[in-house]
C-alpha cells in the first residue's frame, strides 16, 4: 500500500521532468537551426571592398575603401553586386554601366588586381573580399569613374573609320572583301573601347603620348582591310610608326591578357611593326 502511494506521488514529478527535458531539447534544436541559418546567410553574402573618392564633398576627398556585404545569387556578376550595393546601401556610390552584356565597355574596373568588365566577371570566380577599384593610370573623377578623355583622343588620332579612294564605278555595286581578308581583321573589329588594355600598359603609364594598344589595334583593323587600298594603308602606317607609336611597345602582353574580347593586341602591334619596316625598305 505504501509502495503504491509512493509511486503515485512520484509520477507527476517524473512527468514534469520529462516535459522540461523535452523543452530544453527543443530549445537546443531551435538554437542549432538558427545557427545553421546564420551560417548559411553569411555564406551567401559576398564581401565587397569598394574604392571611394569624391573631390566635391568635404569628408570624402581622401580616398578610402568602403565595405558592402551583398547577398549572393547564382550567376551574379560584380556589376550586379555594385548595383545592389548602390540601390540598397549607398545611393552615392558611383560607377559607369550601360548594356550589361560586355558590348558597351563602360564598366571596365580594376577587380582583385586585374582589369576586367564588371558585367562579365562572376562573383563566384573571385576570392573574398572582392576588391573593386577604378582603372589604374587614369584620373579618378569620382569613386569608380575615371576620365576617359585622353583615351578617346588617342583612339581618334588614328582616324578610326573606313576611308578609300578606290570605289566601284557603279554606285549600287558593293565594295567586296575577300573571306581571307575578313578573317584576318575579324578579331581586331571586336574592340569595345573599354580602356582596359591602355590601363594595363606600363608604357602608356609612363608615356602620356603613346598611342596605346587600343588605338594601334584600331589602326590595324583599317590598315589591313584590303578595301582601303595601298595609299591609305601607307598613310595609316605613317601615323602609327611615329615616335610614340608602335615602336614604343615592349611586347609585355599585358594588354592581350586583360582584353575582355580576346583580341591578340600584341600580335597586331608586332605585325604593324613588320609592315612599317617593309614599307620603308627601298631596293635599287
Amino acid at each position: 500500500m505504501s509502495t503504491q502511494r509512493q509511486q503515485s506521488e512520484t509520477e507527476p514529478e517524473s512527468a514534469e521532468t520529462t516535459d522540461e527535458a523535452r523543452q530544453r531539447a527543443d530549445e537546443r534544436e531551435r538554437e542549432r537551426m538558427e545557427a545553421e541559418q546564420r551560417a548559411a546567410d553569411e555564406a551567401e553574402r559576398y564581401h565587397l571592398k569598394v574604392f571611394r573618392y569624391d573631390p566635391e564633398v568635404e569628408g570624402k576627398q581622401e580616398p578610402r575603401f568602403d565595405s558592402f556585404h551583398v547577398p549572393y545569387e547564382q550567376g551574379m556578376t560584380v556589376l550586379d553586386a555594385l548595383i545592389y550595393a548602390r540601390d540598397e546601401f549607398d545611393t552615392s556610390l558611383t560607377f559607369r554601366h550601360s548594356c550589361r552584356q560586355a558590348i558597351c565597355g563602360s564598366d571596365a574596373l580594376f577587380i582583385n588586381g586585374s582589369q576586367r568588365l564588371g558585367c562579365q566577371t562572376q562573383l563566384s570566380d573571385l576570392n573574398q573580399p572582392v576588391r573593386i577599384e577604378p582603372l589604374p593610370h587614369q584620373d579618378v573623377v569620382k569613386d569608380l569613374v575615371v576620365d576617359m578623355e585622353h583615351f578617346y583622343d588617342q583612339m581618334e588620332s588614328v582616324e578610326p573609320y573606313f576611308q578609300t579612294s578606290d570605289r566601284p564605278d557603279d554606285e549600287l555595286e558593293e565594295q567586296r572583301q575577300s573571306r581571307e581578308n575578313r578573317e584576318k581583321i575579324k578579331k581586331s573589329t571586336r574592340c569595345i573601347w573599354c580602356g582596359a588594355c591602355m590601363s594595363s600598359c606600363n608604357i602608356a603609364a609612363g608615356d602620356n603620348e603613346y598611342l596605346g594598344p587600343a588605338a594601334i589595334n584600331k589602326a590595324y583593323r583599317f590598315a589591313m582591310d584590303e578595301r582601303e587600298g595601298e595609299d591609305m594603308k601607307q598613310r595609316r602606317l605613317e601615323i602609327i610608326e611615329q615616335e610614340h607609336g608602335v615602336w614604343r611597345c615592349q611586347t609585355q602582353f599585358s594588354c592581350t591578357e586583360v582584353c575582355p574580347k580576346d583580341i591578340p593586341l600584341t600580335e597586331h602591334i608586332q605585325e604593324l611593326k613588320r609592315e612599317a619596316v617593309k614599307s620603308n625598305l627601298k631596293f635599287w
Side-chain angles (χ1 to χ4, degrees), residues 93-105:
L93 178 59
T94 305
F95 50 92
R96 289 191 179 108
H97 68 94
S98 182
C99 72
R100 301 176 72 170
Q101 299 181 59
I103 295 174
C104 70

Side-chain angles (χ1 to χ4, degrees), residues 1-274:
M1 184 70 177
S2 60
T3 303
Q4 293 178 350
R5 186 181 298 110
Q6 289 176 358
Q7 289 178 346
S8 62
E9 289 176 353
T10 58
E11 283 177 359
E13 182 178 351
S14 300
E16 183 178 355
T17 302
T18 302
D19 289 342
E20 291 177 351
R22 187 179 298 110
Q23 289 176 0
R24 287 195 297 271
D26 290 344
E27 182 65 25
R28 286 194 297 270
E29 178 65 15
R30 184 163 52 252
E31 291 176 353
R32 184 188 66 79
M33 293 178 64
E34 289 175 353
E36 288 184 355
Q37 185 60 48
R38 285 195 300 271
D41 291 342
E42 287 298 322
E44 293 175 357
R45 286 183 175 270
Y46 263 72
H47 180 193
L48 310 182
K49 294 188 69 175
V50 183
F51 180 89
R52 306 300 304 276
Y53 167 71
D54 189 344
E56 297 182 355
V57 177
E58 187 176 354
K60 296 184 178 181
Q61 296 171 348
E62 187 70 25
R64 69 185 191 282
F65 281 88
D66 285 352
S67 289
F68 300 97
H69 292 82
V70 176
Y72 174 74
E73 296 180 4
Q74 184 68 28
M76 197 173 199
T77 65
V78 170
L79 179 59
D80 293 332
L82 285 173
I83 292 173
Y84 185 95
R86 179 196 62 193
D87 294 347
E88 300 297 329
F89 302 134
D90 187 348
T91 57
S92 69
L93 178 59
T94 305
F95 50 92
R96 289 191 179 108
H97 68 94
S98 182
C99 72
R100 301 176 72 170
Q101 299 181 59
I103 295 174
C104 70
S106 60
D107 63 332
L109 300 164
F110 198 55
I111 303 171
N112 277 8
S114 181
Q115 289 82 358
R116 310 168 188 249
L117 293 184
C119 66
Q120 197 180 48
T121 306
Q122 292 286 317
L123 275 180
S124 57
D125 294 338
L126 302 173
N127 294 325
Q128 295 193 63
V130 180
R131 189 181 177 96
I132 307 173
E133 303 170 74
L135 290 178
H137 308 147
Q138 301 191 47
D139 294 334
V140 179
V141 178
K142 179 183 178 183
D143 292 344
L144 302 175
V145 176
V146 297
D147 186 353
M148 297 287 288
E149 198 65 33
H150 176 65
F151 173 79
Y152 295 144
D153 288 343
Q154 299 300 79
M155 295 293 281
E156 292 293 340
S157 69
V158 299
E159 301 177 6
Y161 39 84
F162 188 72
Q163 303 176 65
T164 183
S165 57
D166 184 20
R167 299 181 184 277
D169 296 332
D170 187 346
E171 293 183 358
L172 300 180
E173 184 179 349
E174 294 180 355
Q175 190 168 15
R176 298 183 182 276
Q177 180 183 28
S178 67
R179 291 180 180 272
E180 295 76 16
N181 185 245
R182 175 60 188 174
E183 284 300 312
K184 180 180 181 62
I185 68 171
K186 180 172 66 176
K187 291 183 179 179
S188 67
T189 66
R190 298 174 181 172
C191 179
I192 56 176
W193 295 44
C194 66
C197 61
M198 190 80 155
S199 170
S200 72
C201 179
N202 291 329
I203 307 305
D207 181 359
N208 200 45
E209 296 183 55
Y210 176 47
L211 288 175
I216 296 175
N217 173 75
K218 188 60 68 173
Y220 175 95
R221 179 260 176 271
F222 292 105
M224 296 302 178
D225 192 318
E226 64 185 6
R227 295 170 296 177
E228 281 203 333
E230 288 300 319
D231 290 345
M232 192 59 215
K233 179 177 180 179
Q234 184 61 36
R235 172 176 166 77
R236 292 193 185 280
L237 290 176
E238 291 172 359
I239 293 175
I240 58 93
E241 68 175 349
Q242 57 172 288
E243 179 183 357
H244 300 280
V246 291
W247 303 112
R248 293 289 287 121
C249 173
Q250 296 182 0
T251 324
Q252 296 177 350
F253 284 89
S254 58
C255 55
T256 301
E257 291 176 358
V258 303
C259 178
K261 291 300 183 180
D262 298 322
I263 303 173
L265 296 163
T266 308
E267 293 179 20
H268 289 171
I269 295 173
Q270 303 316 304
E271 187 169 355
L272 284 176
K273 287 180 180 179
R274 291 192 292 271

